[in-house]
Amino acid sequence: MSSVSRIITPLQPRPSKPSPPRAAAGWVAVGLAVAVAAVFTVGGVNPWNNVVLLSYFADPFFGLMVVAGLTYLALWLLLPVRSEAKHRGRLAVRISVVLIAVAGLFGFGLYGTHFYDYTGQEVVRSPDGERALAIVVRSGAPDPRIHLYEGSGLATVDVADLGPLCPGNDMSFADDTTVLIRNSYGEFSIRLDSASGMPTEVMATCSDLAANPG
């Protein structure tokens, strides 16, 4: 064998399929992307007003970013680009996913914090533990509001907006179906329907209460 032939040896072809650990990680990313897409889809509709969905999974733009990121990770793990000339289709898909993520980031920056922000802090529970009063701040209503919750844990739902959080506010339950709210303008009692749990009335604005103290 000549010295030239010993030097010029063919390169071993790189494997076209990912290794088993890489493939396993890729399928985990696929599963996460599908699960996150499903949760954000449900959170965008949320007919129950579930508090967890309202707090973390209501913003479709943030969801789009997360799903696109997981999808890109899955593509990188499962469909590696060994050659730009040979794998143009895979490269095009990756670029498309990046553009989708950028669109989600743009929408999140422009609309996300203005239309989908929800923060609820539970304050007190009813004697039977089935209902709670919470202070809620959300997009479109920057001033804190008093909301009525039902259920507990992951099943907690936002039932109703009882009114504004006025100066000197203190809230409690007189019983399972009666809410007591005290503030600088007086003391107010709100009855809850025993069957539906919905309030039969709500509080006026703080300015109206100041003009007509109770």
Side-chain angles (χ1 to χ4, degrees), residues 94-178:
R94 285 191 187 184
I95 294 174
S96 298
V97 172
V98 170
L99 292 177
I100 291 173
V102 171
L105 177 62
F106 179 78
F108 176 72
L110 193 61
Y111 299 107
T113 57
H114 299 288
F115 294 96
Y116 301 103
D117 189 38
Y118 179 101
T119 303
Q121 180 182 1
E122 190 175 301
V123 176
V124 63
R125 285 205 153 264
S126 59
D128 63 2
E130 294 297 319
R131 299 182 178 92
L133 297 176
I135 299 174
V136 171
V137 178
R138 64 186 310 172
S139 302
D143 295 328
R145 309 279 298 181
I146 302 172
H147 281 221
L148 177 67
Y149 284 179
E150 278 193 358
S152 59
L154 297 177
T156 304
V157 295
D158 190 329
V159 176
D161 182 345
L162 300 182
L165 186 71
C166 298
N169 186 86
D170 179 58
M171 62 188 82
S172 62
F173 282 91
D175 53 50
D176 294 334
T177 58
T178 306

Side-chain angles (χ1 to χ4, degrees), residues 185-210:
Y185 310 118
E187 180 175 312
F188 309 91
S189 176
I190 299 177
R191 295 288 300 174
L192 307 178
D193 185 89
S194 57
S196 65
M198 295 295 292
T200 57
E201 57 185 351
V202 296
M203 290 180 57
T205 64
C206 295
S207 58
D208 288 341
L209 293 177

Side-chain angles (χ1 to χ4, degrees), residues 1-8:
M1 182 181 294
S2 67
S3 59
V4 175
S5 62
R6 287 198 301 270
I7 296 174
I8 304 176

